[in-house]
Amino acid sequence: MPYMPITESMFLLAESREHPMHVGGLQLFEPAEGSSAEELGEQMFETLQAQTDVYRLFRKRPASPVALMGTVRWTYDKEIDLEYHVRRTVLPRPGRIRELLKYVSANHGALLDRYRPMWEVHLIEGLADGRVAMYTKIHHSLVDGVSALKLLEKTLDTDPEARNGRAPWDPALFARKPKEPVEDSGSQHVVGQVLSGGAKIAGELAGLAPAGARLGLRAVRDRNLILPMQAPRTMFNVPIGGARRFAADQWSATRLREVAAGLDITINDVVMAMCAGALRSYLIDQNELPEQPLIAMMPVSMHAAGSDTSEGNAVTAILANLATDQPDPERRLATLVESTRSSKNVIRDLSPLMALGYGAAVMAPLAFSTVPGFVRYTPPPFNIIISNVPGPKQDLYWNGARLDGVYPASIAMDGQALNITVASNGDNINFGLTGARATIPSLQRLLTHLDTALEELEKLCDIAR
């Protein structure tokens, strides 16, 4: 039973019935020319059901007994019940995107079973526009956002004529297959595993102290650097229930690139500025805009260049001032960009171990969010999580069916009632908004505000020219 790193166990420790800790994605496929949605759905379902040889990531679950060992060790099931993990459904008429998002919203609030490998695939047919949808969910202890997107990419092809579509758990998709874990109940093996795990935990914790020291020095020198626990209390930072609402939309990557080039900023800066403008407008709508600016936590991938990033967690975190107190879009953008750059410079100055330690410290308060009274009576460490996961720049296909969009569905929890996650594919920048259903009213209005914020940035480009 392999040791479970802190970066993985924290997602299991923080989970409760009201706070599922899985990530998901909604993918939309256009059938190939000459094919129908019914044929594509049948083909995808048969392919997934037929792939009974399952890669180890998809056989992985918390060790039994779940209550004691389930946040310390991993185990691997030898047999997988694909009838349970792979599900097929047809939307009720009229099969609009509204019905699709309702389906995702309802299922995203349901916990994954810890007594099975923690993932599900839902094939969804009946869309009036002729596309086929796939909603996937997998526990965050198994993968991070980068890993989840890489898993999807492995099943797709850049050639629209290729007909080699596979299931994501096909072992043939993983070029370097790690050695299978060996189940061994012998005392020497158990002691060795515990000592090895303890050494790894000690190494991870060792990164905290030096990271904190460097952060303190940087904070003295850089007035733009945001530290934890500086965020105002907002309507997003309250205890929540278990029901979820999901909203999604996409924008052209070309459009965002033109803004980035015109303002001499990055595409990620454009994404963050869109979120800042949209959040300000949404909070004004709700009469909930605080005088202090909102603080965003932004996960940063630490996967090594050239490594297989399709499994595991390697993520740190930075904080950014969204400048939502600024009514002027130009000043808001300038403050946001400077704050983000200052935080990124901190990570660049740290070793990988120290960077992971710093990220663990930033995210640590989330592990206490289920403690009664913690969220209600302690300052929020940050106001919202905003993730941006870059994906493939070219169009991808599954047996000739073009991937039309990848909409990430992420985690809302006590104290963090709204999550914005962005993923790209081809010329699409896809926004996925996950909110606590009873806490975040009219979630879809944020999509309109995102578009308005992008238009404001485009006007700044015109002025800059």
Side-chain angles (χ1 to χ4, degrees):
M1 292 186 291
Y3 147 80
M4 186 184 296
I6 291 175
T7 51
E8 297 174 6
S9 64
M10 61 183 291
F11 294 109
L12 291 165
L13 289 168
E15 187 170 62
S16 69
R17 174 61 192 88
E18 289 75 25
H19 313 108
M21 297 299 289
H22 52 256
V23 292
L26 175 64
Q27 297 89 43
L28 290 168
F29 291 90
E30 292 182 346
E33 187 174 352
S35 180
S36 67
E38 291 77 11
E39 291 171 331
L40 175 60
E42 182 69 25
Q43 189 179 47
M44 296 179 85
F45 184 70
E46 289 182 353
T47 299
L48 298 182
Q49 287 285 337
Q51 185 56 54
T52 55
D53 187 11
V54 178
Y55 181 65
R56 68 171 201 155
L57 173 67
F58 295 88
R59 296 188 285 106
K60 187 176 180 180
R61 66 170 177 83
S64 296
V66 168
L68 298 177
M69 297 289 288
T71 57
V72 180
R73 321 290 293 177
W74 289 116
T75 190
Y76 295 81
D77 284 353
K78 294 178 180 174
E79 301 293 331
I80 301 299
D81 182 2
L82 291 178
E83 288 188 4
Y84 174 85
H85 289 280
V86 181
R87 307 175 186 188
R88 189 180 186 186
T89 191
V90 178
L91 291 176
R93 294 180 180 177
R96 299 165 298 183
I97 294 299
R98 179 183 300 179
E99 279 74 43
L100 177 61
L101 295 180
K102 283 183 178 180
Y103 180 89
V104 174
S105 298
N107 282 274
H108 202 61
L111 287 171
L112 289 165
D113 185 355
R114 292 194 183 192
Y115 288 87
R116 302 172 183 264
M118 297 180 293
W119 60 271
E120 295 172 3
V121 173
H122 300 241
L123 283 172
I124 308 166
E125 300 169 62
L127 275 165
D129 60 18
R131 292 180 292 180
V132 173
M134 179 187 291
Y135 165 62
T136 55
K137 54 193 286 192
I138 185 167
H139 204 274
H140 207 333
S141 60
L142 297 175
V143 298
D144 57 30
V146 172
S147 302
L149 194 56
K150 289 297 180 183
L151 281 171
L152 173 65
E153 287 185 52
K154 283 179 179 290
T155 69
L156 306 176
D157 202 293
T158 57
D159 182 4
E161 301 302 321
R163 295 296 183 268
N164 55 358
R166 298 175 183 266
W169 50 87
D170 186 344
L173 296 173
F174 299 84
R176 288 177 286 184
K177 185 176 181 180
K179 185 178 179 181
E180 293 289 337
V182 177
E183 297 290 344
D184 187 343
S185 58
S187 59
Q188 289 184 343
H189 177 78
V190 172
V191 171
Q193 286 282 336
V194 170
L195 291 175
S196 175
K200 290 181 179 179
I201 291 174
E204 290 176 350
L205 294 176
L208 293 177
R214 290 202 184 186
L215 182 63
L217 290 173
R218 173 77 70 170
V220 172
R221 300 171 186 161
D222 190 347
R223 62 182 178 84
N224 294 310
L225 182 64
I226 301 298
L227 299 176
M229 315 305 286
Q230 291 184 340
R233 185 171 296 280
T234 73
M235 64 178 291
F236 305 141
N237 310 119
V238 297
I240 65 172
R244 298 290 176 263
R245 180 175 278 114
F246 179 67
D249 206 347
Q250 67 181 198
W251 283 264
S252 166
T254 299
R255 190 176 171 190
L256 271 68
R257 278 195 295 268
E258 289 175 351
V259 170
L263 297 175
D264 193 25
I265 57 177
T266 67
I267 289 185
N268 188 64
D269 290 333
V270 178
V271 168
M272 293 299 295
M274 289 174 65
C275 293
L279 289 167
R280 173 182 165 83
S281 297
Y282 177 82
L283 289 170
I284 289 174
D285 288 348
Q286 305 299 320
N287 197 28
E288 292 279 357
L289 181 67
E291 293 182 2
Q292 294 176 265
L294 267 64
I295 305 301
M297 188 272 271
M298 302 162 55
V300 177
S301 175
M302 296 293 292
H303 286 286
S307 65
D308 184 359
T309 59
S310 57
E311 59 181 299
N313 280 270
V315 63
T316 185
I318 62 174
L319 299 175
N321 180 353
L322 294 180
T324 50
D325 57 328
Q326 285 284 355
D328 179 47
E330 186 172 12
R331 291 182 180 180
R332 190 187 315 131
L333 175 64
T335 301
L336 168 62
V337 169
E338 285 301 316
S339 175
T340 303
R341 288 176 181 171
S342 294
S343 293
K344 287 181 177 179
N345 285 337
V346 170
I347 300 300
R348 293 191 185 101
D349 289 346
L350 300 176
S351 69
L353 181 61
M354 291 168 61
L356 288 171
Y358 168 65
V362 170
M363 294 184 283
L366 299 182
F368 299 97
S369 63
T370 57
V371 176
F374 183 83
V375 168
R376 196 178 299 278
Y377 298 112
T378 59
F382 39 81
N383 299 115
I384 186 170
I385 300 173
I386 303 177
S387 305
N388 186 7
V389 184
K393 295 182 179 179
Q394 67 273 43
D395 284 336
L396 294 177
Y397 302 83
W398 192 92
N399 279 11
R402 187 177 70 87
L403 178 65
D404 190 39
V406 181
Y407 303 95
S410 197
I411 297 169
M413 58 191 302
D414 264 355
Q416 301 293 322
L418 175 65
N419 180 295
I420 300 177
T421 305
V422 182
S424 59
N425 77 290
D427 190 49
N428 300 321
I429 304 292
N430 311 286
F431 282 71
L433 281 53
T434 306
R437 192 175 191 91
T439 309
I440 310 297
S442 305
L443 181 62
Q444 68 279 3
R445 288 186 186 175
L446 267 167
L447 301 174
T448 301
H449 290 316
L450 283 167
D451 195 57
T452 300
L454 180 55
E455 290 174 354
E456 289 178 342
L457 295 171
E458 289 172 327
K459 289 178 182 177
L460 290 181
C461 281
D462 293 338
I463 295 173
R465 294 191 187 101

